[in-house]
């Protein structure tokens, strides 16, 4: 697909024109090539890679080194999608200096075009500094998995007046600080639609936040059905790669056991007289 490079201006224009923005996670070169070929607008190297690629039980253990390693792999796909990398837990919470330094590492060493940070008004000073320094920022509010220990589990957010008002205030504060997009995770659809309507420049990207957002994001492993384990209510499986992979590997095991693989077409030849000369 011949798609123009997606930038922050593209995303701003898409919001103004009401054109839905598509984002998906990818964590390696092969997946990034495929989703670019499909024509995705934005790729997120989510810290969900801790769960789906590295087998951690949350995103909390993910390190800067792991984020940079996976970001570099995605960047090598060299596609048109805008590449956003997550700032992992504790890479920005302790001080403004940490946040500036680690965001710069994701751009300079990883090669991404923007960073994503979890949090609302409490991170706005950092967001403003990053944007001033030339680092585009995506916010992330609602369910913020890095704070799952404090939130007491993976729950829908913003359900009472105080929590809904805080979500709206956080979104406005992030926009005012310069975030060009804001992920809203696990938020009631009508609240996410109101936040989307209230924001004038920052595009909302929903995950479990209904269809009234400016765009949508899914974890690629959920979208592709990479596992037959737990799949969140908000995710839709567009494929059954788990079934396809297990079935293909079972076919391979059977063919090796019955010696029907490798077949002649997978095999290299040698002249008989060469073999005859061996002793
Ligand atoms: O890490 C991630 O994959 C995310 C998405 C769920 C938005 O933050």
């Amino acid at each position: 697909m011949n798609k123009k490079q997606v930038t922050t201006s593209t995303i701003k224009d898409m919001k103004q024109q009401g054109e839905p923005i598509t984002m998906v996670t990818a964590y390696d070169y092969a997946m990034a090539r495929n989703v670019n070929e499909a024509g995705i607008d934005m790729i997120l190297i989510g810290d969900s890679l801790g769960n789906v690629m590295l087998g951690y039980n949350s995103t909390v253990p993910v390190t800067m080194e792991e984020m940079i390693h996976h970001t570099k792999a995605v960047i090598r796909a060299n596609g048109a999608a805008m590449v956003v990398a997550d700032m992992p837990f504790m890479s920005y919470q302790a001080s403004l200096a940490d946040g500036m330094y680690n965001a710069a590492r994701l751009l300079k060493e990883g090669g991404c075009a923007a960073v994503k940070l979890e949090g609302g008004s409490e991170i706005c000073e950092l967001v403003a500094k990053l944007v001033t320094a030339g680092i585009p920022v995506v916010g992330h509010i609602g369910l913020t998995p890095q704070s799952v220990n404090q939130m007491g589990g993976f729950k829908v957010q913003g359900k009472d007046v105080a929590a809904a008002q805080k979500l709206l205030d956080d979104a406005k504060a992030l926009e005012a600080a310069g975030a060009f997009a804001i992920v809203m995770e696990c938020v009631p659809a009508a609240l996410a639609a109101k936040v989307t309507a209230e924001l004038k420049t920052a595009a909302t990207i929903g995950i479990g936040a209904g269809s009234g957002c400016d765009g949508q994001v899914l974890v690629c492993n959920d979208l592709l059905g990479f596992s037959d384990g737990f799949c969140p209510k908000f995710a839709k499986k567009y494929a059954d790669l788990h079934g396809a992979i297990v079935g293909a590997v079972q076919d391979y095991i059977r063919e090796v056991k019955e010696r029907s693989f490798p077949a002649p077409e997978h095999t290299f030849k040698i002249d008989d007289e060469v073999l005859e000369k061996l002793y």
Side-chain angles (χ1 to χ4, degrees), residues 41 77 114 123 132 150 208 220:
D41 298 314
I123 61 159
T132 304
Q150 196 183 21
C220 62

Side-chain angles (χ1 to χ4, degrees), residues 176-192:
F180 75 95
I182 301 172
V183 167
M184 279 195 281
E185 180 166 355
C186 283
V187 172
L191 174 59

Side-chain angles (χ1 to χ4, degrees), residues 167-214:
L167 194 105
L168 178 56
D169 292 346
D170 280 343
K172 287 183 178 171
L174 286 165
E175 179 181 63
F180 75 95
I182 301 172
V183 167
M184 279 195 281
E185 180 166 355
C186 283
V187 172
L191 174 59
K194 177 164 177 62
V195 172
T196 302
E198 296 266 334
L199 298 184
K200 300 297 166 242
T201 56
T204 59
I205 304 186
I207 175 161
S211 60
C213 297
D214 295 309

